[in-house]
Amino acid sequence: GAFPQVRLVAHAECGTKALLDATFDGYLVAETVLAERLLSSFTAGMLVMADRNFLSWSLWRQAVATKADLLWRASASFRLPVVERLPDGSYLSVLRPPRKKDGEPITVRVIEYTVTTTDSDAATTSELFCMVTNLLDPGDAPIEDIPALYHQRWSGETMLDAVKTELRGGPDVLLRSQSPDGVRQEMWALFCLYQGL
């Protein structure tokens, strides 16, 4: 089209909002494909949180291999059968490979909770959050800590907002570059500017 779009996936630190790594490509490239490019920035002892678009057997297996701790949201349609109910109310489940020949199922722990909000008209809505982690022992990740941890992930979203709108000059300002190489250069310049500020 006349105005090509860029799909961006970033790995940012929640507390400081520092950019750890980023990748982008044409809009037709899936976020999960881009996420695979970020796996080299995952390290042991790091808690990596991700939204519901990223959970899959394949990407999870690759992310676990980095030795990072994972806390990813599952979409409502993602099937997570209860294998064993744990004393804290969470449960063990499995992520199944697309085909048996791809590998073994992966054991995960599932934590479900709801968030209830009330708008100005006093209408109440509730949303179920289904979180998946490789921290299988409730002592390592107490169930009561999970909602607060996942809420912190949203602070990383402000980094993306700064790069996509504020530093660029607003949502109506387009990238000026006329070639893919120029777009890449302009995007990395925005990341450098964000990190510097």
Side-chain angles (χ1 to χ4, degrees):
F3 300 104
Q5 294 180 313
V6 172
R7 187 178 305 275
L8 162 70
V9 176
H11 184 196
E13 201 278 327
C14 289
T16 63
K17 301 178 190 173
L19 182 63
L20 302 174
D21 199 358
T23 187
F24 52 90
D25 212 316
Y27 196 70
L28 295 179
V29 177
E31 286 180 316
T32 53
V33 172
L34 295 176
E36 288 178 11
R37 298 178 191 170
L38 297 178
L39 292 172
S40 63
S41 65
F42 295 9
T43 60
M46 176 184 285
L47 177 64
V48 178
M49 296 183 278
D51 204 2
R52 62 186 136 203
N53 295 332
F54 296 95
L55 185 61
S56 72
W57 176 86
S58 177
L59 186 56
W60 185 271
R61 183 179 68 161
Q62 293 174 71
V64 166
T66 69
K67 306 295 185 207
D69 296 326
L70 308 177
L71 181 62
W72 294 7
R73 187 172 176 189
S75 69
S77 63
F78 203 95
R79 191 173 174 313
L80 292 162
V82 177
V83 172
E84 178 186 346
R85 185 71 62 183
L86 299 174
D88 68 345
S90 63
Y91 61 91
L92 297 180
S93 186
V94 290
L95 300 178
R96 298 203 183 280
R99 301 167 303 207
K100 285 187 177 185
K101 69 177 186 174
D102 291 334
E104 295 297 316
I106 303 168
T107 301
V108 295
R109 180 171 160 231
V110 180
I111 298 114
E112 295 178 332
Y113 62 94
T114 57
V115 174
T116 304
T117 57
T118 303
D119 65 20
S120 59
D121 298 327
T124 301
T125 58
S126 179
E127 182 179 1
L128 176 67
F129 284 76
C130 180
M131 306 303 301
V132 178
T133 184
N134 60 340
L135 297 168
L136 304 181
D137 182 353
D140 292 337
I143 196 168
E144 58 273 4
D145 293 348
I146 299 301
L149 281 171
Y150 187 69
H151 179 73
Q152 288 181 22
R153 189 192 74 77
W154 287 102
S155 69
E157 293 288 336
T158 60
M159 184 280 301
L160 290 174
D161 182 56
V163 171
K164 291 194 295 189
T165 58
E166 295 167 22
L167 294 178
R168 218 177 39 155
D172 298 327
V173 177
L174 302 174
L175 293 174
R176 294 172 293 282
S177 303
Q178 301 295 313
S179 68
D181 284 341
V183 169
R184 281 188 274 281
Q185 182 179 23
E186 195 168 341
M187 289 297 295
W188 284 114
L190 285 171
F191 294 146
C192 289
L193 178 60
Y194 169 81
Q195 200 77 338
L197 293 173

